Amino acid sequence: MEFQDCFPIWARLSEAQRGRILASLVYRQVKKGAVIHNGDADCTGLLLVKSGQLRAYILSEEGREVTVYRLFDRDICLFSASCMLRSAQFDITIEAEKDTGLWVIPAEVYRGLMEESAPAANYTNEVMAARFSEVMWLVEQVLWKSMDKRVAAFLLEEGAIEGTARLSITHEAIARHLGTHREVVTRMLRYFQGEGMVKLSRGTVELLDEKKLAAL
């Protein structure tokens, strides 16, 4: 699978524009746990995932993390190139949740592409709108949903991503995703276990009753 196959507007770019992208394009392979973009200190460039899984999160002053969105095969991240978006800075950290292969388009190259290509500008706006929708969904969850509902939703999402009901994940990792304390997650999971929804063991959460979790 080549970059041209994964970049949605490739066919709508001119030969010169394609040439500039290919000349500047960098392919990277990163290991699970590697930080690819570190807040507003970096302007990494536009990321396009070939294969793997990335996590974008924000960090509070107290050091608590909360996941904003995740990136999978063929997904694009613009916030890693927020310096090219005038009057918009996003203090987001991006790390690899799995071993990941990705392409990087330097921010200055993509900025030039947006300025001269209507398809590129329109596509960028669509991606930004989709990401902001995810951010607003997160804000709604944090403000209005109780923690038991958020934990249940996270477990179901994780099960769908991994394609298994047996999740290899720690209470600490769940807490990082949801921006809460490990003790809170542990309390919720023990409650779920008491209700027959999950089974807990060291480093593992097994989903026993997904319908009950979904109803919650």
Side-chain angles (χ1 to χ4, degrees):
M1 184 167 57
E2 300 298 326
F3 174 84
Q4 297 92 316
D5 303 320
C6 299
F7 195 51
I9 57 170
W10 184 257
R12 301 171 68 187
L13 301 177
S14 69
E15 287 299 323
Q17 290 164 348
R18 294 179 187 178
R20 287 203 300 275
I21 290 176
L22 292 178
S24 63
L25 196 64
V26 176
Y27 181 73
R28 294 178 60 187
Q29 288 185 299
V30 295
K31 295 292 186 182
K32 177 181 177 179
V35 173
I36 301 164
H37 175 79
N38 191 15
D40 59 8
D42 288 346
C43 191
T44 306
L46 181 139
L47 305 179
L48 173 55
V49 178
K50 180 180 182 181
S51 63
Q53 185 172 316
L54 305 179
R55 169 185 174 235
Y57 65 90
I58 53 177
L59 192 64
S60 73
E61 292 181 358
E62 296 79 25
R64 287 164 58 189
E65 302 173 5
V66 60
T67 300
V68 180
Y69 57 84
R70 290 154 120 179
L71 300 162
F72 304 97
D73 296 5
R74 296 176 179 247
D75 277 347
I76 281 180
C77 183
L78 288 173
F79 287 176
S80 55
S82 59
C83 60
M84 72 181 182
L85 305 169
R86 295 183 179 89
S87 303
Q89 293 295 317
F90 304 95
D91 196 9
I92 282 180
T93 302
I94 301 170
E95 71 171 4
E97 287 196 298
K98 298 180 180 179
D99 292 351
T100 300
L102 56 91
W103 291 283
V104 182
I105 304 176
E108 63 274 12
V109 174
Y110 196 77
R111 182 193 294 119
L113 184 66
M114 285 196 304
E115 290 174 350
E116 66 180 54
S117 167
N122 291 336
Y123 175 67
T124 302
N125 289 335
E126 290 173 5
V127 173
M128 289 297 292
R131 293 295 175 226
F132 273 122
S133 294
E134 292 179 295
V135 171
M136 292 308 298
W137 180 87
L138 172 64
V139 170
E140 182 181 80
Q141 297 297 302
V142 172
L143 289 178
W144 309 121
K145 290 292 180 68
S146 59
M147 187 53 66
D148 58 342
K149 291 179 172 59
R150 293 181 63 206
V151 173
F154 174 81
L155 293 176
L156 291 170
E157 178 188 39
E158 194 71 9
I161 290 171
E162 299 298 334
T164 178
R166 187 176 176 84
L167 307 177
S168 297
I169 191 168
T170 64
H171 299 190
E172 180 67 32
I174 296 172
R176 286 200 304 271
H177 277 288
L178 299 179
T180 188
H181 297 290
R182 179 184 59 79
E183 295 79 7
V184 174
V185 170
T186 297
R187 186 167 63 249
M188 290 298 163
L189 291 176
R190 286 175 178 168
Y191 166 71
F192 289 174
Q193 181 170 249
E195 294 293 311
M197 291 184 276
V198 304
K199 179 182 178 182
L200 305 177
S201 55
R202 182 176 292 275
T204 302
V205 180
E206 185 176 356
L207 311 185
L208 299 180
D209 193 334
E210 295 187 26
K211 287 184 178 180
K212 204 168 183 179
L213 285 168
L216 176 63

